[in-house]
């Protein structure tokens, strides 16, 4: 009698749990994708949170599988293969064993599936990383019956070994049973890949269904009539209407949103602001673009000044007479996307964007990272100017964006920031061509790591204190 140690996997339970687990993770990932991309682009604290969550997801997969594994002892004597699984005793006669299928998983574990006469599914499935246990199991069975070995390869390139009990396949019925087992095993594998294919289709539907729910169309005149896509707008005369945006049209009587009349809109005062925003005498509206819901115009709730509200041209930052705001996309449309930004010392009236990374008011310069507005107290606001989309300067220094860019004496960073171009003469600094700059003393290069072959001393301003 020989006792061996294996793991037993509850396949039905593990497949169900892992499927539910992965579907939840995928759905959550899709609906939070903009925030995840934003966090990684900014290199913010949330990036590390998401990295931690990814690690936890991977750990979770192993945890789910471990909950479906049971350590068991398998006893092999001259008559039976015996074990206890989930409190139930399993006894398999040697003479009833039809075939042992041996596979190797990508994780390195060996899997033994025991098939018996009269059944097309495995009577026992054993896993182990100990190859010696596998060999001992096969050797023990061979003591009592004559087994032949066959190396097999599937249509998808997978390989396995079959140990066939020659004593059991003497009858034609058992030979037929063996063929059925092989066929069913192949079908199971095809079912697995079909399931993966279905999952792929479902994921694509999640991506493309929004385009089905909200197809992209435009307003266009045709033969004296106005159309939104293929839909004719009855009574709308092309020469007497105005297209405010790809979604909104206004004629002498109605305001249309995606080809439908907006009954609630105040026609005389309705106007397009910028980005996703519109207004009339009653308030400000934003275009809510849902992933699984119809696009629509939604009134902005909150304490803001309707008369002075306007965009700053970035598609993200907005202001009224009192406050600064950023626009946060919400895929589930559960709340207003207008979020107040609190910046110490900011002068709202004079605040303006200079480009996608720089802004200023009458007091100071600001560095922009998505919705973050960081005061740059060391920069002289009266002389500050943007040179190009990489560099800027004041009367004292030249500044450049460091994310993924090296200068001659400062290395690149992985998150948004800027650095002083040491020893550059700010008053005479100018751009002469792509990634090349010049002052009265020398030329400077600011380029990506691939473009730059040499790195010198590193001096980067630490902006974490802002």
């Amino acid at each position: 009698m020989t006792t061996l140690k294996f793991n037993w996997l509850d396949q039905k339970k593990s497949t169900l749990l892992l499927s539910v687990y992965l579907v939840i993770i995928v759905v959550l990932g899709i609906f939070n994708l903009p925030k995840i991309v934003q966090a990684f682009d900014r290199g913010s604290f949330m990036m590390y949170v998401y990295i931690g969550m990814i690690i936890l997801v991977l750990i979770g997969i192993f945890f789910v599988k471990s909950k479906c594994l049971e350590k068991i002892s398998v006893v092999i004597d001259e008559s039976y293969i015996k074990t206890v699984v989930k409190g139930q005793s399993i006894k398999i006669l040697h003479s009833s064993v039809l075939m042992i299928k041996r596979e190797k998983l990508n994780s390195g574990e060996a899997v033994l599936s025991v098939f018996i006469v009269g059944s097309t599914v495995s009577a026992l499935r054993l896993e182990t990383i100990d190859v010696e246990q596998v060999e001992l199991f096969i050797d023990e069975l061979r003591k009592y019956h004559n087994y032949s070995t066959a190396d097999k390869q599937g249509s998808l390139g997978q390989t396995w070994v079959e140990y066939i009990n020659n004593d059991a396949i003497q009858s034609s019925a058992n030979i037929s049973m063996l063929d059925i087992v092989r066929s069913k095993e192949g079908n199971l594998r095809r079912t697995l890949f079909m399931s993966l294919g279905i999952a792929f289709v479902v994921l694509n539907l999640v991506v493309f269904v929004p385009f089905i729910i909200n197809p992209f169309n435009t307003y266009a005149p045709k033969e004296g009539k106005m159309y939104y896509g293929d839909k004719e707008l009855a009574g709308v005369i092309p020469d007497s209407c105005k297209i405010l945006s790809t979604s909104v049209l206004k004629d002498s009587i109605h305001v249309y949103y995606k080809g439908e009349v907006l009954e609630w809109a105040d026609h005389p005062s309705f106007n397009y602001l910028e980005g996703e925003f519109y207004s009339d005498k009653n308030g400000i509206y934003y275009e809510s673009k849902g992933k699984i819901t119809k696009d629509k115009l939604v009134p902005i709730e909150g304490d803001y000044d309707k008369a002075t509200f306007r965009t700053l041209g970035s598609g993200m930052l907005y202001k009224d007479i009192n406050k600064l705001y950023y626009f946060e996309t919400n895929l589930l449309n559960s709340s207003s996307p207008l979020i107040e930004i609190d910046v110490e010392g900011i002068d709202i009236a004079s605040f303006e964007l200079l480009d996608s990374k720089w802004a200023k008011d009458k007091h100071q310069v600001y560095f922009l990272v998505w919705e973050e507005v960081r005061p740059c107290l060391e920069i002289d606001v009266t002389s500050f100017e943007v040179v190009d989309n990489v560099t800027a300067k004041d009367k004292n220094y030249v500044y450049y964006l460091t994310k993924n860019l090296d200068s001659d004496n400062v290395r690149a960073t992985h998150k948004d920031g800027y650095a002083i171009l040491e020893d550059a003469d700010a008053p005479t600094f100018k751009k002469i061509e792509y990634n090349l700059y010049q002052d009265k003393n020398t030329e400077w290069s600011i380029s990506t790591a691939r473009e730059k072959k040499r790195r010198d001393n590193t001096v980067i301003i630490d902006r974490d204190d802002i």
Side-chain angles (χ1 to χ4, degrees):
M1 183 176 68
T2 302
T3 301
L4 304 173
K5 300 292 185 181
F6 287 97
N7 291 323
W8 176 83
L9 177 67
D10 189 336
Q11 284 185 288
K12 290 183 179 180
K13 182 179 176 181
S14 66
T15 301
L16 178 61
L17 289 177
L18 284 174
S19 298
V20 172
Y21 179 76
L22 292 176
V23 166
I24 293 173
I25 294 300
V26 169
V27 171
L28 290 176
I30 289 172
F31 281 107
N32 288 281
L33 187 60
K35 292 182 179 180
I36 295 172
V37 171
Q38 185 183 80
F40 276 84
D41 188 69
R42 288 171 48 195
S44 65
F45 171 75
M46 285 305 298
M47 178 186 74
Y48 299 101
V49 173
Y50 287 126
I51 290 174
M53 291 174 66
I54 292 170
I55 294 172
L56 287 176
V57 166
L58 296 176
I59 294 173
I61 292 174
F62 289 102
F63 177 78
V64 169
K65 184 177 178 181
S66 69
K67 286 298 180 181
C68 301
L69 280 176
E70 181 179 341
K71 294 185 181 298
I72 61 174
S73 296
V74 177
V75 177
I76 303 174
D77 60 24
E78 59 184 13
S79 300
Y80 294 99
I81 303 170
K82 296 182 292 187
T83 188
V84 176
V85 174
K86 299 177 71 173
Q88 294 185 343
S89 177
I90 297 176
K91 295 174 68 174
I92 300 173
L93 276 169
H94 287 297
S95 59
S96 68
V97 176
L98 185 65
M99 177 181 72
I100 309 294
K101 184 177 181 180
R102 177 179 178 177
E103 301 172 274
K104 186 176 181 180
L105 304 180
N106 291 331
S107 60
E109 290 180 301
V111 178
L112 293 174
S113 300
V114 181
F115 295 90
I116 62 175
V117 173
S119 176
T120 58
V121 296
S122 62
L124 187 63
R125 179 183 167 93
L126 307 170
E127 293 187 10
T128 182
I129 59 173
D130 190 344
V131 177
E132 184 178 350
Q133 293 288 294
V134 175
E135 298 294 344
L136 285 172
F137 183 88
I138 300 299
D139 290 342
E140 285 298 312
L141 296 189
R142 280 177 164 162
K143 288 181 180 179
Y144 309 109
H145 285 275
N146 178 27
Y147 282 85
S148 60
T149 304
D151 294 321
K152 297 289 184 177
Q153 182 169 352
S155 58
L156 300 174
Q158 70 277 17
T159 59
W160 67 92
V161 179
E162 292 180 354
Y163 300 93
I164 302 164
N165 186 349
N166 294 320
D167 298 327
I169 61 169
Q170 296 300 316
S171 70
S172 58
N174 286 345
I175 294 176
S176 298
M177 180 65 67
L178 183 60
D179 292 335
I180 294 172
V181 167
R182 287 169 171 163
S183 176
K184 190 165 185 177
E185 281 287 287
N187 290 337
L188 285 173
R189 195 171 292 274
R190 282 190 290 271
T191 300
L192 173 61
F193 282 95
M194 187 179 296
S195 300
L196 292 174
I198 292 172
F200 177 77
V201 170
V202 170
L203 288 177
N204 276 276
L205 285 175
V206 171
V207 174
F208 292 111
V209 158
F211 297 100
I212 297 173
I213 296 175
N214 299 294
F216 178 77
N217 289 310
T218 57
Y219 293 100
K222 183 179 179 182
E223 299 177 351
K225 300 177 180 179
M226 182 60 70
Y227 289 82
Y228 180 71
D230 295 329
K231 180 182 179 179
E232 179 186 347
L233 304 183
V236 178
I237 302 172
D239 293 338
S240 65
C241 68
K242 182 179 181 181
I243 298 174
L244 302 183
S245 68
T246 57
S247 300
V248 179
L249 176 143
K250 182 178 177 181
D251 69 358
S252 58
I253 303 174
H254 298 296
V255 177
Y256 294 84
Y257 177 73
K258 295 201 167 186
E260 302 292 336
V261 175
L262 291 179
E263 300 288 355
W264 51 263
D266 180 73
H267 177 269
S269 63
F270 193 91
N271 194 27
Y272 173 56
L273 298 177
E274 273 190 84
E276 295 84 1
F277 290 89
Y278 301 81
S279 70
D280 64 14
K281 70 176 185 179
N282 299 313
I284 309 295
Y285 312 92
Y286 73 97
E287 187 173 13
S288 173
K289 297 183 177 181
K291 285 290 185 184
I292 56 176
T293 58
K294 279 277 191 180
D295 295 348
K296 57 186 176 181
L297 290 186
V298 179
I300 297 178
E301 306 296 338
D303 181 22
Y304 66 96
D305 186 74
K306 299 178 178 63
T308 60
F309 180 86
R310 68 182 182 90
T311 177
L312 293 175
S314 68
M316 183 172 286
L317 293 181
Y318 304 84
K319 74 174 186 177
D320 61 18
I321 194 171
N322 300 310
K323 299 173 184 176
L324 184 67
Y325 309 90
Y326 75 91
F327 183 74
E328 181 182 67
T329 302
N330 190 322
L331 295 178
L332 297 179
N333 303 318
S334 60
S335 62
S336 171
L338 203 61
I339 310 298
E340 182 182 343
I341 303 175
D342 185 21
V343 183
E344 184 176 356
I346 191 171
D347 180 73
I348 295 294
S350 62
F351 184 86
E352 62 177 328
L353 294 188
L354 303 178
D355 71 356
S356 63
K357 288 297 181 185
W358 299 101
K360 72 174 184 178
D361 61 19
K362 65 181 183 181
H363 299 306
Q364 57 194 353
V365 174
Y366 302 88
F367 185 71
L368 309 178
V369 181
W370 293 86
E371 74 275 8
E372 292 184 49
V373 180
R374 305 175 183 175
C376 306
L377 303 180
E378 74 281 7
I379 297 179
D380 179 69
V381 64
T382 58
S383 61
F384 183 79
E385 63 177 285
V386 176
V387 177
D388 62 3
N389 63 344
V390 173
T391 59
K393 67 178 184 177
D394 62 11
K395 66 180 182 180
N396 301 310
Y397 299 106
V398 175
Y399 311 91
Y400 82 100
L401 308 183
T402 56
K403 185 176 181 180
N404 301 325
L405 291 170
D406 285 337
S407 73
D408 291 318
N409 59 359
V410 181
R411 74 164 184 268
T413 62
H414 293 296
K415 60 181 180 179
D416 286 294
Y418 65 90
I420 291 176
L421 191 62
E422 296 291 345
D423 299 327
D425 182 70
T428 60
F429 183 87
K430 63 181 180 179
K431 182 177 182 177
I432 55 177
E433 61 179 87
Y434 172 70
N435 76 26
L436 289 178
Y437 303 83
Q438 184 182 69
D439 63 17
K440 68 177 183 179
N441 300 314
T442 187
E443 289 187 357
W444 305 88
S445 68
I446 301 175
S447 55
T448 64
R450 289 185 178 182
E451 296 168 327
K452 186 172 178 59
K453 298 180 179 179
R454 179 174 58 87
R455 291 178 179 174
D456 298 318
N457 296 329
T458 300
V459 180
I460 297 179
I461 292 180
D462 182 3
R463 300 294 305 164
D464 293 336
D465 60 327
I466 298 299

